[in-house]
Amino acid sequence: MKENDKEKVQNEKSGGFVVEIYEWLEAIAFALALVVLMFTFVFRIVSVSGPSMQPTLHSGDRIVLSSLFYTPKNGDIVVVTQPNSHDNEPLIKRVIAVEGQTIDVDAEADTVTVDGVKLNETYILEQDIESEGDAYEFPITVPEGKVFVMGDNRNDSFDSRSPGLGMVDEKYIMGKAVFRIYPFESVGGLK
């Protein structure tokens, strides 16, 4: 092989290596951008703080939220960012009633009814409902664009019954909790 041919082959090899590295870097950058976009607009990971969602969720649990095209529904677990008197921190609660529904919280009978139907709440910590300082006189109809939320641990929950929060505007709902990713022994879907 001539000296010029050897030099030409060497340049092609080194040029091919640079192109290959560039292609790999481009693929990695694209993948990272896609992951960032997914976790910014479609999914988010949130940490649970406090006892208000026990026994369903515990302080320290990590959950995945789905937020793309989300519309609140009864029974959904959501993260609420509505300004509140509880240090304005995000709150994790369960949607009990949506706009147009009438909710009645009867502390004497320890029942919650929506549109006259008693809820079958197998997920709550205890059946005994305390009613000190409720924000509303029940029954009450949820206004347009709002939801009524409660914690599963009814007697240790800052929720829509509290004057410092009240009913939640749907624009302050970050998304629906769909999956627990931590602790590892409790990984799975949420109901």
Side-chain angles (χ1 to χ4, degrees):
M1 204 179 240
K2 295 182 186 177
E3 190 63 37
N4 282 346
D5 290 339
K6 284 182 182 178
E7 198 173 297
K8 189 176 178 182
V9 168
Q10 186 67 19
N11 286 341
E12 286 176 4
K13 282 184 180 177
S14 65
F17 178 73
V18 170
V19 169
E20 188 172 329
I21 291 289
Y22 177 76
E23 288 174 352
W24 272 100
L25 289 174
E26 188 178 57
I28 290 169
F30 178 76
L32 284 173
L34 186 61
V35 167
V36 167
L37 287 172
M38 290 288 291
F39 279 97
T40 300
F41 297 109
V42 180
F43 298 106
R44 292 183 180 180
I45 297 176
V46 177
S47 182
V48 176
S49 177
S52 72
M53 283 301 291
Q54 290 178 358
T56 307
L57 297 169
H58 299 274
S59 198
D61 286 4
R62 303 281 191 286
I63 57 175
V64 175
L65 293 182
S66 174
S67 56
L68 192 63
F69 306 118
Y70 173 67
T71 301
K73 294 178 190 61
N74 298 60
D76 288 351
I77 298 172
V78 296
V79 174
V80 174
T81 60
Q82 178 167 295
N84 61 69
S85 65
H86 204 267
D87 298 329
N88 283 327
E89 64 183 43
L91 304 170
I92 300 175
K93 302 296 173 197
R94 187 176 299 271
V95 175
I96 301 300
V98 297
E99 67 179 49
Q101 292 184 312
T102 300
I103 182 165
D104 189 9
V105 178
D106 186 342
E108 288 182 24
D110 294 322
T111 60
V112 176
T113 59
V114 175
D115 293 334
V117 178
K118 180 183 175 225
L119 298 182
N120 181 18
E121 299 182 292
T122 57
Y123 47 79
I124 64 174
L125 185 62
E126 55 187 310
Q127 295 296 325
D128 183 33
I129 301 173
E130 296 175 7
S131 66
E132 293 179 22
D134 285 351
Y136 305 103
E137 279 194 37
F138 295 102
I140 189 165
T141 300
V142 179
E144 184 177 338
K146 304 235 183 213
V147 297
F148 191 94
V149 298
M150 295 175 81
D152 290 356
N153 184 359
R154 297 287 159 78
N155 295 326
D156 195 2
S157 178
F158 178 78
D159 53 35
S160 287
R161 297 171 296 165
S162 308
L165 180 64
M167 295 200 205
V168 175
D169 193 311
E170 288 182 12
K171 71 181 179 185
Y172 291 114
I173 296 178
M174 283 178 62
K176 176 184 176 182
V178 292
F179 201 80
R180 180 184 1 236
I181 59 171
Y182 183 84
F184 299 121
E185 63 271 7
S186 300
V187 168
L190 295 171
K191 294 180 184 180

